Amino acid sequence: MSTERVLRSLLVGLMVLSAALAAAEDPALELEASPSSVRVGDRVEVLASARGGDGWLWGELTVALDPGGDWELIDGPSAVAGARPPAWRLVLAPLALGEPALPPISVSARSADGETVEIVAGDPPVVSVVSILADDEEQPAPAPLRDPIGVRGFPWEWVLPITGALLPLLAGAAWLWRGRGRPAMAGRVSLPPFAELEALASELSTRVGRESADGVCDRLAAGLRHYLERRTGEPAEEMTSYELRLLARDRGWPEISQRLVQRVMGVADATRFGRRPSTDEELQGAISQALDAARSVEAHLDEAHRAAAEAEAAS
């Protein structure tokens, strides 16, 4: 056997051995933050990566934020597509100077024998936070007061006469405006939640390829959140994509409903925040999946209402 073949065999063996050792490691969670030096309120992107744990099942990433603490969660956590072991991205904003410690970030994991543990990220990266003021403006002095040019005093004696003359005019204008606005409000018709989403989807389908993918995804994500809020009564318009998945799971929606909602928000988030280019076919598919998700939710809610009505009638 030649020397080159021996070296190649040794290299392959070392690679296999290192992969096996890495897989056999205890599960851990590692964090990376970028950038490492920011000003107060700037965005810091954090990448959380799972390590080790061969055969373990990984759950959702959680961020423990204290009210009034040193950090604010701006976006995420969202899973990184195709990462094995899994990884998540989230965006934080510092609210304190110095080197404030990142909030506790953890993930649940279950071993092959069914044991579930909570893995907390250790040795978090250090982020240096400086003031928004320049270095030489620690105690900025206010600008000196100056008299207005050409004015030596305010004519307070004219305030009451002018106000008395304007009040009747303002009251009449408000009365006319109120009377003019009533017919328009009375003629406005509010569509049912699904019909409203269906109308939005039809409009967005005609705009794919004619306007930016960001604009289409913005309106699609907002429309799906608005539908879910009207249909469930929960504040879905204020929820992140991760919180929408929790809402669908807590409500016991069918698996297909949860997957479709996750797919639509995944395409929208990747296009808007990940700056990933989306083809017209992907956008049209996301629009169709939003309608399919709504149809599945409608069917599930109708079945639940029917079952409740039958149980009430039977009692």
Side-chain angles (χ1 to χ4, degrees):
M1 182 179 295
S2 64
T3 303
E4 182 180 354
R5 290 185 177 179
V6 172
L7 292 176
R8 187 179 302 172
S9 300
L10 289 174
L11 179 60
V12 171
L14 289 174
M15 292 175 63
V16 172
L17 179 60
S18 62
L21 290 175
E25 292 176 352
D26 291 336
L29 190 63
E30 297 181 358
L31 301 180
E32 299 178 20
S34 177
S36 59
S37 179
V38 295
R39 294 183 181 271
V40 173
D42 287 350
R43 296 192 172 201
V44 177
E45 182 172 318
V46 178
L47 175 64
S49 304
R51 293 288 183 266
D54 184 26
W56 285 60
L57 296 177
W58 299 84
E60 299 286 351
L61 192 78
T62 59
V63 183
L65 290 171
D66 293 330
D70 295 339
W71 293 89
E72 182 73 20
L73 181 63
I74 303 300
D75 185 58
S78 58
V80 178
R84 294 292 182 275
W88 301 264
R89 291 188 186 278
L90 58 146
V91 178
L92 299 170
L95 305 179
L97 299 178
E99 295 182 351
L102 291 177
I105 299 176
S106 61
V107 63
S108 59
R110 186 172 62 188
S111 64
D113 57 5
E115 179 187 3
T116 301
V117 296
E118 190 75 14
I119 301 173
V120 181
D123 193 18
V126 176
V127 178
S128 177
V129 184
V130 298
S131 172
I132 60 175
L133 299 176
D135 294 339
D136 58 350
E137 295 185 7
E138 292 183 356
Q139 295 180 351
L145 294 176
R146 298 176 182 174
D147 293 333
I149 298 177
V151 176
R152 293 302 177 184
F154 189 82
W156 294 103
E157 63 274 9
W158 290 98
V159 172
L160 288 178
I162 293 176
T163 303
L166 290 179
L167 279 178
L169 296 177
L170 293 176
W175 182 82
L176 290 174
W177 180 265
R178 182 181 179 185
R180 183 178 299 177
R182 282 178 180 174
M185 293 297 294
R188 182 178 298 176
V189 178
S190 178
L191 293 174
F194 181 78
E196 184 181 20
L197 179 63
E198 195 173 29
L200 174 64
S202 177
E203 178 188 352
L204 291 180
S205 294
T206 63
R207 293 185 176 275
V208 172
R210 296 166 50 193
E211 66 178 61
S212 67
D214 287 354
V216 173
C217 288
D218 277 337
R219 296 187 60 190
L220 179 61
L224 182 56
R225 284 189 170 95
H226 182 63
Y227 163 78
L228 294 175
E229 178 162 319
R230 292 188 63 192
R231 205 62 177 90
T232 64
E234 299 288 343
E237 293 190 60
E238 303 175 5
M239 293 183 179
T240 64
S241 300
Y242 171 71
E243 290 171 331
L244 287 180
R245 292 199 298 269
L246 293 182
L247 172 64
R249 185 184 306 171
D250 293 341
R251 289 299 182 102
W253 290 351
E255 184 68 23
I256 183 63
S257 303
Q258 300 184 36
R259 287 203 305 269
L260 287 172
V261 171
Q262 183 173 354
R263 288 175 186 173
V264 174
M265 300 309 298
V267 172
D269 291 347
T271 303
R272 296 182 300 165
F273 306 123
R275 300 304 178 188
R276 181 178 65 84
S278 298
T279 63
D280 292 350
E281 289 77 13
E282 287 178 315
L283 296 178
Q284 293 287 7
I287 294 172
S288 299
Q289 289 171 354
L291 284 178
D292 291 341
R295 291 191 186 96
S296 177
V297 171
E298 291 286 329
H300 172 71
L301 294 179
D302 289 345
E303 180 64 27
H305 292 160
R306 190 181 304 111
E310 292 176 354
E312 183 178 358
S315 61

